[in-house]
Amino acid sequence: MADIYRALADETRRALLDELLQRDRQTLFELCSKLAMHHDLTPSRQAVAQHLDVLEAAGLVHSERSGRYRFHTIDTSPLVGILDRWPPRKAEQ
């Protein structure tokens, strides 16, 4: 569970998850381009690869090599543990 909080604590990693939620199965190059275009973030490819490694260690991203490319996909199932711990409450009146 601590890996998930660590992964979500960084703005760039949250932006990567946002982009993968918009369109799954993206390459590192595509994700770098989308960070620059949509989030005004310009980390190096190596930095983005490290962010993806952190997300993968937390189980939020999976990667699969196909030919020359590695495709990244989002997995939101580890986030269910957060909702189980702090379920939504109705606002008090």
Side-chain angles (χ1 to χ4, degrees):
M1 184 65 82
D3 288 347
I4 295 171
Y5 296 121
R6 179 175 168 249
L8 295 175
D10 185 86
E11 176 186 0
T12 302
R13 289 193 284 267
R14 290 191 305 270
L16 286 167
L17 292 175
D18 290 343
E19 290 303 326
L20 287 171
L21 201 58
Q22 291 293 318
R23 187 174 70 82
D24 224 358
R25 281 189 55 83
Q26 295 190 59
T27 65
L28 176 63
F29 178 77
E30 290 171 315
L31 289 167
C32 289
S33 299
K34 298 232 173 120
L35 286 178
M37 288 188 308
H38 300 153
H39 303 277
D40 207 23
L41 297 170
T42 55
S44 66
R45 286 175 40 143
Q46 291 80 13
V48 173
Q50 289 177 344
H51 284 302
L52 288 168
D53 287 344
V54 172
L55 291 169
E56 194 161 358
L60 294 166
V61 168
H62 300 287
S63 63
E64 174 187 353
R65 181 170 291 282
S66 178
R68 295 178 54 197
Y69 300 101
R70 179 176 294 276
F71 292 94
H72 302 277
T73 58
I74 189 169
D75 181 0
T76 58
S77 61
L79 299 175
V80 172
I82 294 173
L83 282 177
D84 288 343
R85 184 171 177 171
W86 294 293
R89 286 178 55 175
K90 292 182 180 178
E92 293 183 26
Q93 298 176 2

